[in-house]
Amino acid sequence: MCGIVGYVGYREAQPILVNCLKRLEYRGYDSCGLALLGEGIEVYKDAVRIEALEKALRPNVSKTGIGHTRWATHGKPSQVNAHPHTDCSGQVAVVHNGVIENFLQLKEQLIEEGHTFRSDTDTEVIPHLIEKYYQDSLEKAVARAIVDLTGSYAFAAIHAGRNELVVARKESPLILGIGDKEHFVASDVPAVLDYTDRVVYLEDGDIGVITADKVTYISNGKEIERAEHRIPWSVAEAQKAGYEHFMIKEIHEQPRVIRETYKGYISAIEPVTNLGIEKDTSITDILIVACGTSYYASLVGKHLIQSLAQIPVRVEIASEFNYSDTVLGKTWFIVITQSGETADSIRALRKAKESGCRTLAITNVVGSSATRIADETLYIKAGPEICVAATKSFIAQLTMFYLIALARASRDVRSRAGMILELRQLPNKVQEMLDREEEIAKYGKYLAKYENVFFVGRGLNFPIALEGALKLKEISYIHAEGYPAGELKHGPFALLTPNTPVIAIVTKDNTYDTLLANIKEIKARESPVIAIAGESDEEIKKYVDFVIKVPDVDPVFSPVINAVALQLLAYYTARERGCSIDTPRNLAKSVTVE
Ligand code: G6P
């Protein structure tokens, strides 16, 4: 997803902007560029990758500039569509993240007024509007330009002859990094962590006027204050720490992430939770809304909350919920989003808030948009997740759902105590799973030669089949589908051949016997079957071609262990195929357009 950066200060801007752009690479992009303030404005945007841009750049002493990584929405990836975009005179340059919904009308009007456009992008109307309204103040021109814009934006603008950045935000993420006699602008915190841990989150409607010495925040035409936050993540935490890819590093962080997430919410002395909802009888039904991997975590959450706490739970994909007539009433609305910025999820949260629901955001990112809209926030403590494919944030989200379900569990005290104890043991079990990495790598090599794979599970592990398939397709580009094991015969059976492996998640719960029957049906179609099964399960090897043994846990916690096994399987399959694991083609980490 597009990323914007900006710098104004006492140092040369060019290397800083390049470095900040590299830190945003994880968001996914297809072209990049930057603009530096000199006598006029110099724009560089001939390269696709940041490394190539860096090599092509000539030394430049400018101390002010903006940069961009583009994820195409309007117009194909090309030099002309890459940002920054400029006005007719080349006096204004703009980088933008978001979608200007009325850009076609604005463009037609500006063309009638004599402006010439070069690109297919929606963004290009912004520098032209700034040119149109500019008299003697960039701030005033930006303030006037945004009146004409509908849609979402976080943009940074520079004007020749003015040693300042002017930024504006509506519905797209934008942060400022506060340094000593220097300031930074970025779409996300990791971009500025090399230089400062002090950040300010801009709010919708904010304009920021930024010089080396000062930042002025304006909202509704009035100067306002915005609070500074300290970021607890170190740069090292956002680095690979010796691993080949961020993905495998993040997979290995999961035991710690589970501990961090439950720490503070379960007492070390007594078997009780303290989320603040334990005695809240107003929670009578729950709607969870999310996208992507967060959606699959929600499906597990639904099972857990319904079975442990007997509270009815619905789960909807955010982009569908936004166009549905779902009845909300007194529903407790939960949005779960790693980034806290996913446009569809944010829109859903706003919709729920407007309808008067009590809203909770579960997110990983302190100060993100979701936290500022929702009534309450619970943080998963995954730390910065850089790989586009979510791993540790998923496991942290599952941990949070265990906590919520346990907080409202209607089971007797003793069985709740047992589960809390088991939750505490989970990091060790995940570590045991990680210790089996080499064995899973062998299956990765095996799977890498196929082009179609099915994942099946039942009950609590059906969402894990979905997540396993998502991981595999995202990073290895193998076509993979997750199915409820009992549903395969209603269509997908037509696709089963000796060239279509099926990964079956087998758990010793009430689904076990039927799942074995489903596996028999699959084997009858000659598909190779790999089972993911507990190590004490001696029976399963009679039914399948291969067994990936996972540590035994209470079936209620099996989604966590099975998800880790499937993350490793996807990773080693993609590695065998030589894929770009951390930044898969066409995908973005933080999807800030609807
Ligand atoms: C993108 C990412 C996924 C993520 C989804 C939802 O598609 O590539 O990994 O699951 O967005 O993101 P969120 O930040 O809302 O959890």
Side-chain angles (χ1 to χ4, degrees):
M1 196 65 15
C2 296
I4 71 171
V5 298
Y7 176 80
V8 53
Y10 61 89
R11 298 190 256 182
E12 283 184 11
Q14 187 169 282
I16 294 176
L17 291 171
V18 168
N19 189 39
C20 292
L21 285 178
K22 283 184 183 165
R23 299 268 183 249
L24 289 184
E25 271 191 303
Y26 72 91
R27 293 165 70 88
Y29 70 105
D30 45 52
S31 50
C32 56
L34 49 85
L36 296 161
L37 197 70
E39 296 276 291
I41 289 177
E42 288 184 49
V43 177
Y44 303 88
K45 52 178 189 176
D46 287 329
V48 172
R49 306 308 296 175
I50 296 167
E51 295 72 31
L53 175 79
E54 190 175 16
K55 282 197 190 119
L57 290 170
R58 292 184 303 274
N60 189 310
V61 294
S62 170
K63 310 236 169 1
T64 307
I66 52 180
H68 193 264
T69 48
R70 176 170 187 256
W71 188 79
T73 56
H74 294 67
K76 62 179 195 258
S78 67
Q79 193 266 351
V80 80
N81 287 333
H83 297 213
H85 289 286
T86 52
D87 63 337
C88 300
S89 63
Q91 298 285 292
V92 180
V94 168
V95 286
H96 164 231
N97 168 216
V99 173
I100 307 302
E101 284 161 10
N102 62 339
F103 86 99
L104 273 178
Q105 294 102 291
L106 291 170
K107 190 168 173 175
E108 276 167 21
Q109 192 184 326
L110 286 159
I111 288 171
E112 256 175 46
E113 290 167 12
H115 291 255
T116 311
F117 281 75
R118 302 176 194 96
S119 78
D120 308 315
T121 65
D122 53 336
T123 302
E124 202 181 352
V125 297
I126 304 175
H128 286 279
L129 285 173
I130 294 174
E131 176 181 37
K132 174 175 167 180
Y133 295 122
Y134 185 84
Q135 289 178 332
D136 54 3
S137 153
L138 180 56
E139 173 208 327
K140 286 191 184 140
V142 166
R144 179 60 192 84
I146 60 177
V147 174
D148 291 353
L149 302 177
T150 54
S152 57
Y153 52 77
F155 71 80
I158 51 174
H159 192 290
R162 306 191 65 99
N163 212 6
E164 64 182 2
L165 307 173
V166 176
V167 299
R169 175 205 152 130
K170 185 184 159 226
E171 292 170 22
S172 293
L174 187 61
I175 63 116
L176 302 191
I178 311 295
D180 189 16
K181 297 204 170 19
E182 59 183 352
H183 290 110
F184 307 81
V185 171
S187 295
D188 202 356
V189 171
V192 303
L193 279 182
D194 280 317
Y195 308 101
T196 181
D197 63 351
R198 295 161 57 201
V199 307
V200 172
Y201 297 91
L202 292 196
E203 301 281 346
D204 278 353
D206 281 3
I207 292 177
V209 182
I210 308 157
T211 64
D213 302 312
K214 193 169 173 231
V215 184
T216 311
Y217 304 97
I218 298 130
S219 178
N220 291 322
K222 290 202 190 75
E223 217 176 296
I224 46 147
E225 298 283 317
R226 286 281 171 238
E228 216 180 278
H229 301 259
R230 288 263 174 192
I231 299 300
W233 307 338
S234 64
V235 180
E237 276 178 300
Q239 302 298 304
K240 280 191 209 151
Y243 286 96
E244 193 179 341
H245 298 98
F246 280 111
M247 182 173 183
I248 193 69
K249 175 193 171 231
E250 289 163 3
I251 288 174
H252 275 270
E253 284 170 1
Q254 293 178 126
R256 179 174 60 78
V257 163
I258 298 172
R259 275 190 205 101
E260 288 293 322
T261 301
Y262 69 55
K263 202 167 79 187
Y265 293 126
I266 48 180
S267 155
I269 307 156
E270 283 179 276
V272 290
T273 59
N274 57 351
L275 265 78
I277 54 162
E278 284 70 14
K279 298 201 163 56
D280 191 337
T281 49
S282 68
I283 300 170
T284 50
D285 77 291
I286 299 175
L287 172 65
I288 312 173
V289 169
C291 303
T293 288
S294 300
Y295 171 71
Y296 296 148
S298 312
L299 294 178
V300 178
K302 172 187 161 107
H303 272 270
L304 294 173
I305 298 169
Q306 289 195 156
S307 67
L308 297 177
Q310 274 92 50
I311 300 172
V313 182
R314 291 171 290 165
V315 179
E316 290 198 33
I317 291 178
S319 56
E320 286 301 306
F321 168 77
N322 290 336
Y323 293 92
S324 72
D325 298 319
T326 309
V327 180
L328 290 167
K330 290 205 180 309
T331 303
W332 191 30
F333 179 93
I334 302 180
V335 66
I336 181 155
T337 159
Q338 184 281 130
S339 61
E341 301 293 350
T342 302
D344 289 318
S345 301
I346 296 298
R347 180 162 170 184
L349 174 59
R350 286 210 170 90
K351 179 173 159 177
K353 186 107 199 254
E354 277 158 21
S355 79
C357 282
R358 170 179 172 187
T359 55
L360 168 74
I362 301 178
T363 185
N364 191 31
V365 181
V366 177
S368 56
S369 297
T371 67
R372 279 173 286 133
I373 301 166
D375 302 316
E376 297 151 284
T377 298
L378 285 172
Y379 286 106
I380 57 166
K381 306 276 174 50
E385 190 175 63
I386 306 295
C387 176
V388 167
T391 52
K392 61 176 178 168
S393 63
F394 179 68
I395 295 300
Q397 289 171 338
L398 296 189
T399 307
M400 188 53 80
F401 280 123
Y402 285 110
L403 291 170
I404 292 175
L406 283 167
R408 297 305 310 268
S410 47
R411 290 190 175 191
D412 63 66
V413 177
R414 197 171 313 136
S415 84
R416 189 185 314 145
M419 290 190 67
I420 291 179
L421 203 65
E422 187 98 12
L423 181 58
R424 283 190 183 286
Q425 290 307 315
L426 202 54
N428 297 339
K429 294 286 182 182
V430 169
Q431 188 55 55
E432 278 178 41
M433 185 67 244
L434 294 172
D435 295 342
R436 298 167 191 225
E437 185 173 1
E438 269 181 36
E439 202 205 326
I440 298 201
K442 284 192 263 168
Y443 291 104
K445 280 201 168 119
Y446 164 81
L447 219 54
K449 57 182 187 286
Y450 292 99
E451 288 308 325
N452 297 289
V453 178
F454 280 95
F455 288 72
V456 295
R458 295 186 81 112
L460 254 182
N461 280 293
F462 160 52
I464 302 305
L466 294 173
E467 173 60 8
L470 180 68
K471 284 292 87 80
L472 189 72
K473 73 178 85 148
E474 277 182 306
I475 63 167
S476 75
Y477 312 145
I478 293 174
H479 170 230
E481 287 190 54
Y483 255 88
E487 190 64 15
L488 222 51
K489 54 185 167 296
H490 299 293
F493 263 24
L495 298 174
L496 295 187
T497 70
N499 283 323
T500 323
V502 177
I503 317 285
I505 308 170
V506 183
T507 307
K508 282 262 175 138
D509 58 11
N510 60 347
T511 66
Y512 186 76
D513 292 336
T514 356
L515 207 118
L516 290 188
N518 297 145
I519 289 174
K520 274 196 201 151
E521 295 157 11
I522 295 166
K523 280 302 309 162
R525 272 82 197 167
E526 296 185 3
S527 288
V529 177
I530 303 178
I532 311 282
E535 58 197 338
S536 63
D537 185 345
E538 288 301 326
E539 185 70 8
I540 186 68
K541 61 175 184 274
K542 299 180 199 151
Y543 292 77
V544 301
D545 300 270
F546 310 101
V547 184
I548 296 181
K549 294 249 170 179
V550 302
D552 284 323
V553 287
D554 181 324
V556 85
F557 291 104
S558 63
V560 171
I561 301 297
N562 293 332
V564 176
L566 294 181
Q567 292 167 351
L568 289 169
L569 189 62
Y571 174 79
Y572 282 103
T573 308
R575 189 167 171 268
E576 180 68 17
R577 287 166 70 102
C579 297
S580 164
I581 291 181
D582 287 331
T583 49
R585 70 181 177 215
N586 301 336
L587 299 183
K589 181 77 185 157
S590 179
V591 180
T592 50
V593 293
E594 283 180 31

